[in-house]
Each structure stands twice: as C-alpha cells, then as structure tokens.
Amino acid sequence: PPPRKLAFTKQKTLNMSNNDKYTHPLTSRYASDEMSKIWSPNTKFSTWRRLWIALATAEKKMGLNIQQKQIDQMKANLHDIDFEYARAQEKKLRHDVMSHIHTFAKACPDAAPIIHLGATSCFITDNTELTQIKAAISEVRGKLVRVIDALRTMVLKYKDMPTLGFTHYQPAQLTTVGKRASLWLQDFLMDLRELEHLDQCLMFRGVKGTTGTQASYLSLFNGDHKKVQDLDAEVARLMGFNKTIPVSGQTYTRKVDFHVTSVLSAIAQSANKMANDIRLLMNLRELEEPFGKNQVGSSAMAYKRNPMRSERVCSLARYVISLTANTAHTHATQWFERTLDDSANRRMVLPESFLAVDSILLIVNNVVSGIHVWPHVVNKRVMEALPFMATENILMACVKEGGNRQDLHEAIREHSMEAARVMKAEGGDNDLLERIAKDDLFSAVHSTLKDIVNPKLYVGRSPEQAEEFVKSEVDPVLKKFADVLSNKAEVQLKV
C-alpha cells in the first residue's frame, strides 16, 4: 500500500550512503580530474567569492567607502566555504546566491555590509559561468592539440602504405593509410581554429545590473557614467577578461552558450567520424585500437576484441551533438531581459558538454597513440581489388605494343567476370592476373605484369598530399602550442 511504500522510502533516504546515490559517469568514469575540478562546487563557489572580492576592490578604486581590511578579510576566506551552512540557508531562502552571500558574510563579518554591493545575482552566476567556460576551453584546447599531434605522427608513419579506398563502403581507388588519417586530422585542425576563435571572442558579462542598464551602479557613483564604465572594465580585468559584452539584459545573451556548444559539437562530430572509420576497419582487421593485456571483449565470447574505446567515443559524441539543440531552444525561448527557465537546464548542459568532450579527446588520444596497423591484411585487401583497377593500364600497355584495343577489352571483360564469379560463388582468391598471365593475347606485358600492379602506382599523390598538409598546415599550429606538447605523459583512461 502507498503509506508503507512512503515509509520505506523515507527510511532508506535517511540511511543513504554514496553507493545509494546517483553518480555522474562523466566525472566518475570518463572525464579528467582537471575538467571535473573546473565544474566542481569548490571552483564554482570560490569563483563567486573572487567576483565579490573583485567588485569590492574595483568599487574601492572608483572611490566608494570600502576599507582595505574588509577586502583582506574576504580574501582570507576565499576558500573557507561552509557548505553545510550554505545548504541550510538555501533551504530557508530558496535562493542560491543569497544563501552564499550570508555564508560569506558569516565568515567575514567586517565585509558583510559591502558584499554584493550594487550587484544582481547574474553578476555572480553569469560571470562565474563565463570564467568556467574560459578555463574549460583552455583545457579542451590542450587535449585537442595533443590529439592533432598524435594524428600527425600517424599520418607521417603511414603516408606511403597503400590501402583500399572506399566510397559508399564499396571498394574504390587506392589511397594510403596516412592520407586517410590526414582527413581525420584536418577535421580536428578546423575544430581547433574554431575553438581559438571562440576563446578570442568570449566576453565577460561584467557589471550590468538587474536589467542590463547599470542603474544601480550609476546611483552608487552619483550619476558618473565614466566611473560605471571604468568599474565594468576593472572587474573584467581582475577576472582575467579584456572585454565585456557591450549590451545585455539581466543575463549575457544565451546565444553565447549556443556558440560554445556548437564548437564542442564540432569536435564531437570529428571524433565520431574518425571512430566510426576505425570501427569499420577493425571489422576488416586492417587495424586495431589498443587492447589491454587483461581486457575482456565479451563475457560470453572470450576471443572477441571489440572496438570498445571507439564505440565509447561515438556514444559520448552523440550526446554532445544533441546538446546543441538544447542551447538553441534555451536562447530562442528567453523572454525580454530574462526568464529563469534557463537556469536548471544550464546547470547541466554547460558542464556536461565540456566534460563529455574532455572525455572524448582523452579516448581519441589514447586510441590514436596506441593504434596498431596490420600491413599484411591491408595489402591482402589491396591485392584483392587491385587487379581489376590495373586492367586499364594493362590494356594500354598492350595496345602500345601493337595489340588490338577491342580484342584486349573483350578479353579483359571475360577474364574479369570469371574471376569475380570465382571470388563470389566459390569464395576463391582474385585470380585475374593469373588468367591474364596465361593468355597469349597479353604476352606483351607478361614480363612486366608485377610492375604494372605495384600498389604504389595507384595511390596518386596521397603520400605527397599527406606530407604537404602536415608541413604547411599542421606544423605551424603545433609550433604555436609547443608548451602544451612538452608534457608527453601517456594517456591513461579510468576504465
């Protein structure tokens, strides 16, 4: 009956341990400690306090009656946050910012009268989120640069290795393993440029007041517009920003969040495309992602080596891509100077977007750095398809030696059809070259047949393209981020 069920639930709640509560897999299983820390309660609420300190410091500089000892007391309690007291206050006040104002005031009573002076809640929440976004962009950038560096190594290592190209997942002209990897690398390089642009364009909300008019600050400074402008710039400077948004309502425009998640979505798209290719190539046994000595592929099929890491990339990427629609809807449905229906949503979408992309890049780096290419398998598949591709070259060589083009064409057609039938109907090897070698009509090329079907003759400019791309596009970027690459520590995944 319902009464007994409610009593049971209440009893369980009172005795809940950590294992009785939901734990977010992004922080417990996938993301780095560095990214988790950026979105942690300690970072969030200490940034709130940094903002209150910056505001008081700037207001004092602009001439308000604020004592240095008040600011010093605030600085001394920057990280001394009484979370239990704050939770009790929020339960009472139903207002997160006010609860932490009271908590901070309790820790530094001398500063209590000037904490949050002239500010609205969004001065704290929006500026904190922008500060967290800026730090998270830096963390993503470092991991993205390492992925680009790992792919650069792969491109150059395998730039000369012919492999079967695929269009529509059907055999097509040859490329090289390195040239294919350069396509993945190019996507990530484009993502880095967009991430850099986002970082350069990210502006601080600053001190804008309840509806963005700065009316409260204008009142504090007795109508002095210059001081209000200087206050806005000074708080931004103290928080590490060189520019504030020119106009706002109570919040910064939520289109910023859409731009942020769009760039993160782009990174996820690149990773998903690469991981899908790797999954397909693993099925062909041409390459494999890293596989631990004691790793288990299947609880039932002990022989399995599943592309678990690449599958995880695709799974997380799909989630990140979906969040872009979320931020688009949030921006589109804001009313006038602000509504609060964005708040609960953004507490999840912003950190989760970054945590998921952080996780993706860790896995991608791990996969690319430890990827294993099987040259004999790659070459075997090439040689299954290459005889068909080489027939035009064979035909032209015979014609040059006096052969009849039409007779040669018909002979090649007949031999090709029969070779294909053997492959499909009998599961046999491609014996087209053997057939041509036994046909006197092609005697002009019998001595050079092996040279004609050298795979390296059919990859076009793949090696040159890969090398030129790395030299002209990739290396200048990596040189810019040499400090990021100075730490060559091996990427270790949690699971």
Side-chain angles (χ1 to χ4, degrees):
R4 290 182 62 187
K5 184 176 181 181
L6 288 172
F8 175 78
T9 302
K10 182 178 180 181
Q11 181 182 358
K12 291 293 289 183
T13 301
L14 290 174
N15 298 304
M16 286 176 73
S17 69
N18 286 337
N19 288 327
D20 292 314
K21 301 176 184 177
Y22 174 76
T23 301
H24 206 301
L26 284 172
T27 52
S28 64
R29 292 175 65 85
Y30 306 134
S32 68
D33 291 342
E34 293 81 5
M35 185 62 80
S36 296
K37 184 177 181 181
I38 289 171
W39 298 100
S40 69
N42 268 324
T43 297
K44 174 180 178 178
F45 295 115
S46 65
T47 304
W48 285 18
R49 293 189 174 190
R50 285 175 57 209
L51 281 161
W52 281 316
I53 293 168
L55 179 63
T57 302
E59 287 176 334
K60 179 180 183 297
K61 184 177 180 179
M62 299 303 138
L64 293 188
N65 185 23
I66 294 174
Q67 304 303 311
Q68 186 60 45
K69 69 174 185 178
Q70 294 174 304
I71 295 173
D72 291 342
Q73 192 176 65
M74 294 166 73
K75 289 180 177 180
N77 288 277
L78 176 61
H79 297 291
D80 183 20
I81 303 173
D82 188 341
F83 285 100
E84 287 298 324
Y85 184 79
R87 278 189 283 269
Q89 286 294 306
E90 185 170 3
K91 186 174 183 180
K92 173 185 175 182
L93 302 173
R94 292 289 188 263
H95 197 289
D96 56 352
V97 174
M98 281 302 301
S99 71
H100 276 269
I101 290 174
H102 284 288
T103 303
F104 200 18
K106 176 173 172 285
C108 39
D110 291 341
I114 55 92
I115 293 174
H116 202 67
L117 182 59
T120 187
S121 294
C122 283
F123 165 73
I124 294 300
T125 55
D126 276 31
N127 284 320
T128 291
E129 285 154 358
L130 288 165
T131 303
Q132 289 174 298
I133 288 170
K134 191 172 184 65
I137 287 173
S138 179
E139 190 64 35
V140 167
R141 179 170 49 231
K143 290 183 171 66
L144 184 54
V145 167
R146 292 186 183 95
V147 165
I148 289 170
D149 184 54
L151 277 169
R152 174 193 182 275
T153 300
M154 182 180 179
V155 167
L156 295 179
K157 183 176 180 179
Y158 297 108
K159 66 183 177 65
D160 297 311
M161 184 183 289
T163 189
L164 186 62
F166 292 99
T167 57
H168 314 277
Y169 201 40
Q170 302 300 310
Q173 288 187 347
L174 301 189
T175 182
T176 66
V177 173
K179 170 62 192 300
R180 176 177 285 151
S182 75
L183 303 181
W184 307 333
L185 174 53
Q186 180 175 240
D187 285 350
F188 284 117
L189 196 64
M190 293 170 67
D191 296 332
L192 179 60
R193 288 169 181 154
E194 290 302 310
L195 188 70
E196 283 288 273
H197 179 70
L198 174 66
D199 189 32
Q200 292 164 7
C201 293
L202 190 68
M203 292 182 284
F204 202 55
R205 174 191 174 275
V207 291
K208 295 297 193 290
T210 55
T211 57
T213 65
Q214 298 177 309
S216 58
Y217 298 104
L218 197 61
S219 176
L220 278 174
F221 291 106
N222 300 315
D224 191 329
H225 289 264
K226 179 67 165 55
K227 283 191 175 181
V228 175
Q229 290 175 310
D230 290 345
L231 178 73
D232 193 38
E234 179 64 9
V235 173
R237 186 190 68 80
L238 290 171
M239 293 301 296
F241 287 78
N242 56 24
K243 189 175 182 181
T244 63
I245 54 176
V247 292
S248 76
Q250 188 175 108
T251 69
Y252 68 78
T253 171
R254 297 312 185 210
K255 185 172 279 291
V256 172
D257 295 345
F258 173 72
H259 287 165
V260 169
T261 54
S262 294
V263 173
L264 297 177
S265 170
I267 296 171
Q269 294 162 34
S270 300
N272 201 141
K273 188 266 186 291
M274 188 198 80
N276 267 340
D277 285 353
I278 290 173
R279 291 165 66 187
L280 293 168
L281 291 168
M282 280 188 65
N283 176 63
L284 300 177
R285 295 184 174 86
E286 292 194 8
L287 55 75
E288 287 178 344
E289 64 179 36
F291 195 87
K293 181 180 179 181
N294 299 312
Q295 184 173 330
V296 176
S298 168
S299 61
M301 296 167 281
Y303 60 87
K304 292 286 293 283
R305 292 188 64 157
N306 297 327
M308 175 269 288
R309 302 176 203 210
S310 297
E311 289 175 312
R312 183 179 293 171
V313 167
C314 295
S315 181
L316 291 169
R318 188 163 62 248
Y319 181 65
V320 173
I321 294 167
S322 74
L323 295 178
T324 308
N326 185 311
T327 53
H329 284 296
T330 295
H331 174 59
T333 56
Q334 290 301 287
W335 296 355
F336 302 112
E337 282 65 49
R338 97 146 301 177
T339 51
L340 197 61
D341 62 347
D342 63 337
S343 178
N345 184 304
R346 295 174 68 256
R347 291 173 192 263
M348 297 179 285
V349 70
L350 290 176
E352 288 179 7
S353 295
F354 278 104
L355 286 162
V357 167
D358 178 84
S359 306
I360 288 167
L361 292 174
L362 282 174
I363 303 167
V364 169
N365 192 358
N366 177 267
V367 168
V368 174
S369 299
I371 206 161
H372 193 103
V373 177
W374 297 107
H376 295 299
V377 178
V378 172
N379 186 63
K380 181 181 179 181
R381 182 157 286 104
V382 167
M383 296 313 297
E384 285 178 351
L386 185 57
F388 295 120
M389 299 179 194
T391 54
E392 185 174 5
N393 287 13
I394 292 171
L395 185 150
M396 298 307 293
C398 290
V399 170
K400 285 180 181 180
E401 296 298 321
N404 183 295
R405 192 267 178 195
Q406 314 313 326
D407 294 341
L408 290 164
H409 185 279
E410 178 58 22
I412 287 175
R413 188 190 69 81
E414 291 176 0
H415 288 319
S416 298
M417 294 301 105
E418 184 57 23
R421 187 198 67 79
V422 169
M423 292 174 69
K424 291 183 280 190
E426 301 175 15
D429 294 331
N430 187 341
D431 62 356
L432 177 58
L433 294 181
E434 287 85 345
R435 294 174 184 274
I436 290 174
K438 294 176 182 178
D439 189 334
D440 291 339
L441 196 60
F442 298 93
S443 59
V445 297
H446 283 173
S447 62
T448 58
L449 202 52
K450 288 185 178 180
D451 295 330
I452 293 176
V453 292
N454 180 352
K456 292 190 176 182
L457 299 176
Y458 297 86
V459 298
R461 296 192 67 252
S462 292
E464 292 78 13
Q465 284 181 340
E467 192 166 16
E468 290 163 6
F469 171 64
V470 166
K471 184 178 180 180
S472 65
E473 301 294 330
V474 181
D475 285 348
V477 172
L478 293 182
K479 184 178 180 180
K480 177 183 175 183
F481 294 104
D483 58 325
V484 174
L485 298 173
S486 60
N487 180 10
K488 289 284 188 178
E490 183 180 353
V491 178
Q492 297 291 338
L493 305 181
K494 292 180 181 178
V495 288

